[in-house]
């Protein structure tokens, strides 16, 4: 088993971040050609907030150059030339923009106008206190300087995208933690450093792939899609005592991501809760000491940028109360600072919300009970089997 021992992981100067590379981009063309960009991908509806558009070519801004044409695609599907460099909207809506120049056409970008902090959605079955749909949470320990991390990256790609394990994959949530091996990893953060410190066995060396926040349930460079599916199967065989519903809202103008959640409890006990802010679409190289072929630039997904609670990583007491009775619903809320979290593109972000419970009666060790993944300016309803 090949693991790169992260000797500096627990040093005070070490920082760690989370990554997931699942081969869902064309990295060889990253940063080249014609690109449409926006100063913000979510703005406040009402007309007081605006997104400022720009056009780039091979990494250089060419906005305003002769013969560049920018188009807007309305929600209705109607396409027209857009002659302004700013966009705002009185109403909630979502539009797309793309550019044409010198016989090249950029990929479209999406910009949305949203209203305030959305409420958590209504429970579709308020009298149901069982049959909670269960998700597992995988935490990947990795680094752009880790020579053996492509083994786990390749296994995850086959697990999520291969099609053979779709029944397991649709109930699997992935967060990725980057460590500084050989180089400073741009996806490292205080949150991911704390996460990896909290599980010294699973992340003694990299790569590591931990399941359900269980320090003893992990894979390393030996990871394969069938082995991942086997671990997920073990997790999903355990009934969830909680269900989670949430709303996540935020705009670059406001500078924050707001999370509101409700947790439905079917068994009396102690529960903790936390939210992690993740970002996809981060283009960066990946050192590769394996036989697996990788492009020169890899798109890293699910990088943990911030966490609502890192002491303990398993979360704060749900509702500030150590014990909850069966048949009750508890509230949770938190806020992330977009700038402090070093978010590159808010439209590529999503939030994982999870609940943990003691691994046995009276234990101080908490494992995952259930988790959901919610996009920015999206809502997730209570899910039942």
């Amino acid at each position: 088993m090949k693991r790169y021992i992260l000797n500096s992981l627990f040093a005070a100067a070490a920082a760690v971040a989370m990554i997931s590379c699942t081969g869902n981009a064309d990295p060889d063309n990253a940063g080249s050609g014609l690109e449409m960009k926006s100063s913000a991908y979510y703005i406040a509806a009402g007309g007081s907030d605006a997104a400022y558009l720009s056009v780039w070519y091979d990494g250089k801004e060419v906005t305003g150059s002769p013969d560049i044409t920018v188009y807007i695609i309305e929600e209705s599907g109607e396409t027209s030339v857009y002659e302004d460099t700013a966009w705002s909207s009185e109403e909630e809506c979502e539009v797309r923009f793309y550019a044409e120049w010198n016989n090249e056409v950029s990929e479209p970008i999406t910009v949305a106008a949203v209203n305030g902090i959305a409420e958590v959605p209504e429970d579709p079955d308020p009298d149901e206190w069982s049959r909670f749909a269960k998700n597992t949470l995988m935490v990947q320990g990795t680094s752009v300087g880790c020579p053996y991390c492509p083994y786990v990256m390749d296994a995850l790609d086959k697990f999520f995208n291969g099609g053979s394990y779709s029944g397991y994959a649709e109930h699997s949530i992935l967060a990725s933690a980057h460590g500084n091996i050989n180089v400073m990893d741009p996806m490292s953060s205080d949150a991911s450093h704390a996460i990896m410190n909290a599980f010294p066995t699973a992340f003694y060396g990299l790569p590591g792939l931990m399941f359900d926040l269980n320090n003893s349930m992990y894979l390393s460079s030996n990871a394969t899609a069938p082995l991942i599916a086997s671990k997920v199967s073990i997790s999903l065989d355990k009934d969830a005592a909680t269900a989670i519903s949430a709303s996540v809202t935020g705009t670059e103008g406001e500078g924050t991501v707001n999370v509101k959640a409700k947790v439905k409890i079917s068994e009396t006990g102690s529960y903790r809760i936390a939210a992690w802010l993740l970002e996809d679409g981060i283009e960066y190289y990946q050192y590769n000491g394996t036989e697996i072929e990788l492009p020169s630039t890899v798109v890293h997904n699910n990088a943990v940028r911030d966490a609502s609670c890192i002491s303990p990583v398993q979360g704060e007491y749900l509702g500030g109360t150590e014990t909850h009775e069966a048949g009750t619903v508890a509230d949770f809320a938190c806020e992330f600072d977009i700038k402090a979290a070093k978010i590159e593109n808010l439209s590529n972000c999503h939030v994982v919300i999870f609940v943990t419970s003691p691994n046995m009666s009276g234990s101080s060790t908490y494992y995952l009970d259930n988790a959901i993944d919610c996009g920015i300016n999206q809502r997730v309803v209570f899910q039942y089997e």
Side-chain angles (χ1 to χ4, degrees), residues 56-122:
W56 296 69
Y57 190 83
D58 283 348
K60 295 181 180 179
E61 186 173 6
V62 293
T63 307
S65 295
D67 302 323
I68 287 180
T69 305
V70 174
Y71 294 89
I72 183 172
I73 306 174
E74 306 284 355
E75 283 188 319
S76 64
E78 180 182 351
T79 302
S80 60
V81 174
Y82 193 77
E83 297 181 349
D84 203 343
T85 56
W87 179 79
S88 62
S89 175
E90 292 288 340
E91 306 293 334
E92 277 194 308
C93 66
E94 183 177 280
V95 298
R96 291 185 294 163
F97 296 95
Y98 69 95
E100 286 187 359
W101 191 45
N102 290 343
N103 297 319
E104 288 194 38
V105 180
S106 72
E107 290 293 325
I109 62 170
T110 301
V111 184
V114 298
N115 277 324
I117 300 174
E119 292 301 316
V120 176
E122 293 290 329

Side-chain angles (χ1 to χ4, degrees), residues 199-251:
F199 304 100
T201 302
F203 301 124
Y204 170 70
L206 298 184
L209 183 64
M210 180 180 62
F211 299 81
D212 287 355
L213 303 179
N214 183 341
N215 195 38
S216 300
M217 188 177 180
Y218 65 91
L219 298 171
S220 184
S221 57
N222 64 331
T224 62
L227 283 176
I228 294 172
S230 176
K231 297 289 188 184
V232 172
S233 176
I234 294 171
S235 170
L236 297 180
D237 280 344
K238 301 173 183 176
D239 291 337
T242 61
I244 309 166
S245 179
S247 73
V248 175
T249 56
T251 67

